[in-house]
Amino acid sequence: MITFLSGGTGTPKLIRGMRQVLDDDQISVVVNTGEDIWVSGNHISPDLDTVMYLFSGVLDTDTWWGLRGDTFTTHEMLKDLSPEEFIAIGDRDRAVHIARADLLRRGCSLTEATVRLCRLFGVRASVLPMTDARVTTRVKTSAGSIHFQEFWVKNRGAGEVMGVEWYPQDPPPASREVLDAIRECEAVVIGPSNPITSILPILRCRGVREALSEQYVVGISPFIGDAPVSGPAGALMTAEGYPPNSIGTAGVYSDLLDLFIQDVRDTVNLPGTVRLDTLMVDEQKSRALAAAVLRLIRKRGGKNEGGI
Ligand code: GDP
């Protein structure tokens, strides 16, 4: 069993490859829910949706969100009616959000709702929201503190980023299922996701760091040189006081890593890391990286051996 910590783009690309070398029922994914948002009465969990759609084979892997071939009729109508509709949500995607919102309103936890939706989608992997508590990642900008989705989707990342904060401030408890998945696996893989807005929210959940400190943890950098492969990770890292590169990424994960993987092209030199081609431009590249990560896990020494 391999357990991933995941956001909604970089790590799902790696999971796509891992599915070709491991059976789905050997994979658990602890998913960031800090970017969740209620829109027009429905519950969007962008990273959970991406991971669930990936395992069910319906994900649009051009954009890494939404269902392949979805239509946008409802969004086209709603976007002029509601200021909340700044996210283009497909019709079938919205059906999932409606169903999830209904389950939550009827008292299901997010973990239970995810189990039900995954069953419906024929997902055999274990897809786990990091917490059942409601927690929101907000970006502090010169214009005030805004929801991550507003920052990234509505404002397209524009404006000066001054930091990140979570609402509520107190770290939420990780679910029991999440802690079990971390404790009871062969190794945990922190995929190449945004360290600040995808991985840190998971690491903040109560119990996660302690569980990880007992596990063999492999991290993969989402940076090549001084830029992330995609997305706003650079500005967010800088605002939070980390260099926007692999050194900063290792800094966010601090003493949790047993093995850290940097891209072969990365000009940032971090002693003790393993160099691999991490640029997953297609399914074959994802598979090659996943197979290499699995080989490293299986030939590892003890905790901290070969770590950084
Ligand atoms: P989000 O939820 O959409 O922000 O997605 P993630 O946090 O899971 O992934 C975003 C991060 O993935 C960015 O920081 C990218 O640099 C990184 N990323 C995307 N594709 C790749 C890739 O092929 N290789 C590597 N190393 N990183 C990638």
Side-chain angles (χ1 to χ4, degrees):
M1 196 73 157
I2 299 292
T3 295
F4 287 88
L5 308 190
S6 183
T9 307
T11 306
K13 286 185 188 175
L14 180 61
I15 295 170
R16 172 156 85 153
M18 196 60 89
R19 297 185 68 213
Q20 297 184 41
V21 292
L22 265 190
D23 199 71
D24 281 358
D25 63 15
Q26 297 299 298
I27 301 174
S28 292
V29 190
V30 176
V31 184
N32 167 44
T33 58
E35 294 168 25
D36 289 15
I37 188 166
W38 288 78
V39 173
S40 301
N42 306 319
H43 186 265
I44 308 182
S45 189
D47 295 352
L48 271 181
D49 287 336
T50 289
V51 172
M52 183 171 74
Y53 298 157
L54 173 69
F55 280 110
S56 75
V58 295
L59 178 68
D60 183 338
T61 49
D62 292 333
T63 56
W64 290 87
W65 59 266
L67 293 114
R68 201 182 326 109
D70 211 346
T71 52
F72 292 82
T73 312
T74 311
H75 174 70
E76 284 305 318
M77 186 75 188
L78 263 177
K79 73 181 191 330
D80 299 327
L81 294 171
S82 165
E84 288 181 10
E85 282 284 330
F86 60 80
I87 304 175
I89 301 161
D91 295 316
R92 285 155 62 220
D93 201 10
R94 190 183 299 270
V96 172
H97 305 155
I98 292 172
R100 184 191 290 118
D102 252 357
L103 289 166
L104 295 175
R105 275 191 286 262
R106 279 193 266 129
C108 273
S109 67
L110 186 57
T111 302
E112 289 162 351
T114 306
V115 166
R116 292 213 200 177
L117 290 171
C118 281
R119 200 176 298 142
L120 196 79
F121 274 93
V123 172
R124 288 184 301 111
S126 180
V127 180
L128 303 167
M130 64 186 194
T131 179
D132 283 321
R134 200 165 157 174
V135 57
T136 304
T137 302
R138 298 184 67 86
V139 180
K140 291 186 269 182
T141 70
S142 39
S145 167
I146 53 177
H147 192 291
F148 178 81
Q149 297 294 348
E150 196 175 340
F151 163 73
W152 186 237
V153 181
K154 188 176 182 182
N155 300 350
R156 295 173 196 280
E160 195 195 343
V161 179
M162 286 142 70
V164 168
E165 62 184 358
W166 284 277
Y167 185 81
Q169 267 179 354
D170 282 347
S175 71
R176 183 182 47 78
E177 290 82 351
V178 162
L179 297 181
D180 286 349
I182 292 173
R183 289 191 193 113
E184 289 162 16
C185 63
E186 203 176 332
V188 174
V189 177
I190 304 180
S193 281
N194 186 325
I196 302 295
T197 53
S198 293
I199 303 300
L200 206 48
I202 302 175
L203 299 181
R204 282 181 78 242
C205 291
R206 293 202 311 271
V208 166
R209 275 190 181 268
E210 293 73 8
L212 286 173
S213 67
E214 305 282 305
Q215 249 305 356
Y216 189 80
V217 180
V218 181
I220 296 142
S221 179
F223 284 89
I224 300 180
D226 288 325
V229 174
S230 61
L236 293 162
M237 293 278 282
T238 304
E240 284 296 300
Y242 295 97
N245 56 31
S246 293
I247 292 176
T249 302
V252 175
Y253 306 152
S254 56
D255 50 356
L256 296 173
L257 294 173
D258 294 290
L259 187 71
F260 192 47
I261 295 167
Q262 281 184 272
D263 192 86
V264 281
R265 306 162 190 83
D266 196 340
T267 47
V268 173
N269 195 23
L270 188 56
T273 65
V274 170
R275 297 288 191 144
L276 292 172
D277 183 355
T278 73
L279 203 51
M280 295 172 281
V281 288
D282 57 34
E283 205 163 345
Q284 282 67 37
K285 291 280 185 188
S286 293
R287 184 199 163 109
L289 179 59
V293 169
L294 198 58
R295 268 197 305 277
L296 286 166
I297 288 170
R298 296 201 162 152
K299 70 163 215 215
R300 72 178 185 257
K303 171 100 185 149
N304 293 328
E305 225 172 279
I308 57 167

